[in-house]
Amino acid sequence: MKHFLSLLRHEIRTLFIAPATYTAAVLFLILMGLIYHGILRQYTLDEQTVDPAYVFFQIFWIPVLFMVPLLTMRSIAEERRMGTLETLMTTPVTAAEIVLSKFLASWFFYCLLWLCTLSFPVIIQMTIHQEPVTQALLSKGPLIGGYLFTFLSGTLFIAVGIFSSSLTRSQLVAGMLSFSILFILILGPRLLQTQGVAMQIEWLQASVDYLQLFTHLEDFSRGMLDSRPFFYYLSNTGLVLGVSILMVESKA
Amino acid sequence: MVISIFPVSTDQPSIEVTNLTKHYGPVTAINEVSFSVAKGEIVGFLGPNGAGKSTTMRILSGLIPASSGIAKVCGIPVASHSAEIKRRIGYMAENNPLPEDMRVAEYLHYRASLKEIPAKQRKKRVEEVLETCDLHRKTKRKLIRALSKGFRQRVGIADSILANPEVAIMDEPTIGLDPHQILLIRDLINNLRGRCTLILSSHILAEVEICCDRVIIINQGRIVATGSPKDLRHEFIRRNQYHIRVAGEKAKLLEVLQQVDPEIDLQENLDETNDSFQTWNAYSVISGDLSEELIQRILRTNGLRLGGLTKLEPSLEDIFLSATRRSWDVTQQEAQNIQKTYQQQQENTD
């Protein structure tokens, strides 16, 4: 892991000088800002039982489906197409270091983008100086739980993106592949649960429930830190990254 | 601190390849290739497109595994110890891929850290390499994207010699360069002489002829010739060519020439001339220089006026064409033999 830090520094630097990164960040913040605005409007119309942050994190999957492929599709596919992956592999650097550095850089950026959304309630709180509003907007529980969940689930999402990118030399294919996998991963269990088969078989329902990302999110937002989601995300992240390392090693 | 388990001995060849074969599916890229390169030698790898040059180089640098055979660099088998190999080689890939949005010096610093040059020496080493490759003035602050082909090529070469490797492998380092830059790179390669073993592939034959101690010609996955350009000339070019500028009749000239070599072949050179002189190509299988004798005899003959006579040195180009053509013939002959035995078997079974 001697070269890991050099690689990571290089990856983060590449992310921060690429115009595409900023475009993606701006689009993400506009989308999230509009959604947050919509939620607040809803709150002005009716009385709601839960905090706005709780509702806000319920739609985490919309940006994930677009952001993660955009962030990760370039990483390995582009290097493979350019041939720079080959030149990397002729130095004493290992495939594991390459994949992990790309993963960590993307994950770091993903977390940073989500942290930017923290500015929404802060800005509103700064313009409206009313105690009940501040309390509702900045209630610690749902915010900490929500961010913890996005960071944790982010490991798996980003790993899936890196994996798709390691399979091909075309960015487009990598992007579409990671979109499809993420779609199945996030919305698949919910569809299984609400439609047909899983409803009737009890043991299947239990296992599908385990895969439900929305259940995980609810638990986190309520401040319930179960070890099972941690195990689910981290073990799968490890698995997916492991396969990516093998892909890079065999197809350099 | 890396402790090598492989002792470095001085007399052992830097590169040793034995019966190396690589299949891509049904296609055989290289077939039973064997050669060795001594320490400090500069070897040129020649061959037409698709001959297997890049494949051999990629196997040597540990990028792809061979189907069978043994490749050793510095006495270490590449297949089982690729991590060890990568500390000892500098590799410049075909087409020289570089990241577009980095500055030259920045890129070399990054590569230096990946190549395990100690942090304290990095700056000094990068400066040295920049100077060796003539990139040290304005160029080092430029974005790689903005560099011309020649400069990019130099950045690639700088990168491959950055860590003072024992063996440098360069896949077509001179492709796309103008004559000035080729001259520069030739000096650069000469600078490397003695410091590291260098193996480079090229299409540009003159280039290889000047820079390299030894040439390996490869065609259709087989080595068809190996040796110094001088040895190859001797082996592949059996007849000498003379340019003779003469004013006079052809019959008379032929008669004179046949006194020296009865089997001499005389052909008209189609270059246009403005005067009464006509240029002829004469081919003789007799080895050694016949120039003096030919001049003497032509001068003594009435009716012939000599304008000039030169013995042409066959270029590597001729050797290359001759060697690759010969391997063509061999493979064709093999194919015919196989077909013959097949037909015979068919007849026997009938």
Side-chain angles (χ1 to χ4, degrees), chain B residues 84-140:
Chain B
E84 181 72 29
I85 294 297
K86 286 170 184 173
R87 295 202 166 83
R88 292 168 185 243
I89 60 161
Y91 174 73
M92 177 180 168
E94 201 177 2
N95 303 328
N96 188 24
L98 297 170
E100 300 281 307
D101 42 17
M102 286 185 97
R103 285 170 207 283
V104 174
E106 199 178 26
Y107 173 66
L108 290 176
H109 273 287
Y110 167 57
R111 297 288 293 179
S113 70
L114 294 184
K115 290 184 176 187
E116 300 179 351
I117 298 176
K120 281 178 190 164
Q121 296 164 27
R122 242 173 253 164
K123 197 169 176 203
K124 191 170 149 254
R125 185 64 197 141
V126 170
E127 285 298 321
E128 267 173 29
V129 172
L130 283 172
E131 198 165 332
T132 319
C133 298
D134 202 23
L135 290 163
H136 56 294
R137 275 179 232 107
K138 269 186 185 168
T139 325
K140 69 175 178 185

Side-chain angles (χ1 to χ4, degrees), chain A residues 146-175:
Chain A
Y147 280 114
L148 199 61
F149 171 78
T150 36
F151 296 165
L152 181 65
S153 60
T155 57
L156 180 58
F157 300 151
I158 297 286
V160 164
I162 298 278
F163 167 68
S164 316
S165 188
S166 77
L167 289 178
T168 164
R169 54 178 63 226
S170 148
Q171 283 191 45
L172 189 69
V173 173

Side-chain angles (χ1 to χ4, degrees), chain A residues 168-193:
Chain A
T168 164
R169 54 178 63 226
S170 148
Q171 283 191 45
L172 189 69
V173 173
M176 287 186 343
L177 194 65
S178 65
F179 179 85
S180 316
I181 299 178
L182 287 175
F183 191 87
I184 294 170
L185 197 69
I186 296 170
L187 297 174
R190 188 182 237 188
L191 288 175
L192 264 182
Q193 213 168 32

Side-chain angles (χ1 to χ4, degrees), chain B residues 170-272:
Chain B
M170 299 183 188
D171 207 345
E172 308 206 339
T174 50
I175 199 165
L177 299 184
D178 66 36
H180 282 289
Q181 293 164 334
I182 289 183
L183 224 85
L184 239 154
I185 287 190
R186 190 181 303 158
D187 289 345
L188 214 157
I189 290 173
N190 269 327
N191 267 332
L192 292 178
R193 197 178 290 273
R195 273 196 275 171
C196 70
T197 310
L198 180 64
I199 173 162
L200 58 95
S201 74
S202 181
H203 287 301
I204 305 167
L205 302 161
E207 191 52 48
V208 172
E209 189 165 10
I210 293 164
C211 302
C212 298
D213 305 329
R214 205 150 59 88
V215 179
I216 296 173
I217 300 180
I218 184 168
N219 191 26
Q220 299 187 319
R222 289 163 196 264
I223 290 181
V224 291
T226 163
S228 67
K230 201 177 152 199
D231 295 341
L232 291 178
R233 216 167 262 142
H234 194 72
E235 185 183 344
F236 283 93
I237 307 297
R238 291 284 153 75
R239 52 185 202 172
N240 293 322
Q241 189 186 1
Y242 298 90
H243 266 186
I244 308 173
R245 254 164 68 77
V246 164
E249 284 167 33
K250 184 187 177 183
K252 219 168 202 174
L253 179 64
L254 193 62
E255 195 183 309
V256 173
L257 296 182
Q258 275 169 347
Q259 288 168 5
V260 183
D261 174 8
E263 286 172 9
I264 205 159
D265 181 16
L266 190 66
Q267 282 168 11
E268 198 171 337
N269 192 321
L270 296 174
D271 290 349
E272 273 183 37

Side-chain angles (χ1 to χ4, degrees), chain A residues 6-250:
Chain A
S6 313
L7 280 170
L8 184 64
R9 207 177 309 134
H10 173 71
E11 288 303 326
I12 290 178
R13 188 192 152 281
T14 325
L15 264 180
F16 273 95
I17 58 167
T21 318
Y22 291 98
T23 318
V26 168
L27 286 178
F28 170 79
L29 287 177
I30 288 177
L31 177 71
M32 296 314 276
L34 286 176
I35 288 172
Y36 199 73
H37 180 248
I39 293 170
L40 289 188
R41 276 177 70 95
Q42 204 66 44
Y43 271 74
T44 55
L45 298 178
D46 315 300
E47 200 165 324
Q48 308 278 334
T49 48
V50 286
D51 289 328
Y54 183 83
V55 186
F56 180 64
F57 279 109
Q58 285 289 323
I59 47 83
F60 79 97
W61 53 276
I62 299 176
V64 161
L65 281 182
F66 296 100
M67 279 307 297
V68 172
L70 276 176
L71 257 175
T72 56
M73 65 186 191
R74 248 177 77 96
S75 57
I76 298 174
E78 177 72 359
E79 291 232 19
R80 179 166 276 151
R81 193 179 65 79
M82 297 273 294
T84 42
L85 189 65
E86 196 176 284
T87 50
L88 260 187
M89 293 298 280
T90 53
T91 60
V93 174
T94 61
E97 287 169 332
I98 296 174
V99 170
L100 281 182
S101 64
K102 287 189 182 299
F103 164 75
L104 265 188
S106 304
W107 183 70
F108 169 72
F109 192 74
Y110 175 84
C111 294
L112 196 72
L113 278 185
W114 271 103
L115 275 180
C116 285
T117 60
L118 193 62
S119 62
F120 301 157
V122 173
I123 290 169
I124 292 168
Q125 184 259 335
M126 276 160 72
T127 40
I128 308 171
H129 300 282
Q130 286 174 16
E131 192 56 30
V133 175
T134 314
Q135 235 169 29
L137 285 179
L138 287 172
S139 63
K140 280 193 188 108
L143 274 181
I144 294 176
Y147 280 114
L148 199 61
F149 171 78
T150 36
F151 296 165
L152 181 65
S153 60
T155 57
L156 180 58
F157 300 151
I158 297 286
V160 164
I162 298 278
F163 167 68
S164 316
S165 188
S166 77
L167 289 178
T168 164
R169 54 178 63 226
S170 148
Q171 283 191 45
L172 189 69
V173 173
M176 287 186 343
L177 194 65
S178 65
F179 179 85
S180 316
I181 299 178
L182 287 175
F183 191 87
I184 294 170
L185 197 69
I186 296 170
L187 297 174
R190 188 182 237 188
L191 288 175
L192 264 182
Q193 213 168 32
T194 49
Q195 319 271 319
V197 203
M199 296 274 283
Q200 282 128 38
I201 310 166
E202 208 170 308
W203 59 267
L204 192 62
Q205 206 170 5
S207 37
V208 166
D209 203 40
Y210 172 60
L211 302 177
Q212 261 277 23
L213 272 71
F214 292 95
T215 323
H216 300 163
L217 173 61
E218 246 166 69
D219 291 349
F220 270 84
S221 296
R222 269 197 251 111
M224 227 169 76
L225 296 186
D226 197 345
S227 63
R228 282 176 300 177
F230 277 93
F231 182 76
Y232 171 71
Y233 291 115
L234 295 180
S235 63
N236 278 311
T237 302
L239 176 77
V240 173
L241 284 182
V243 179
S244 318
I245 291 170
L246 290 181
M247 288 311 299
V248 170
E249 243 168 25
S250 66

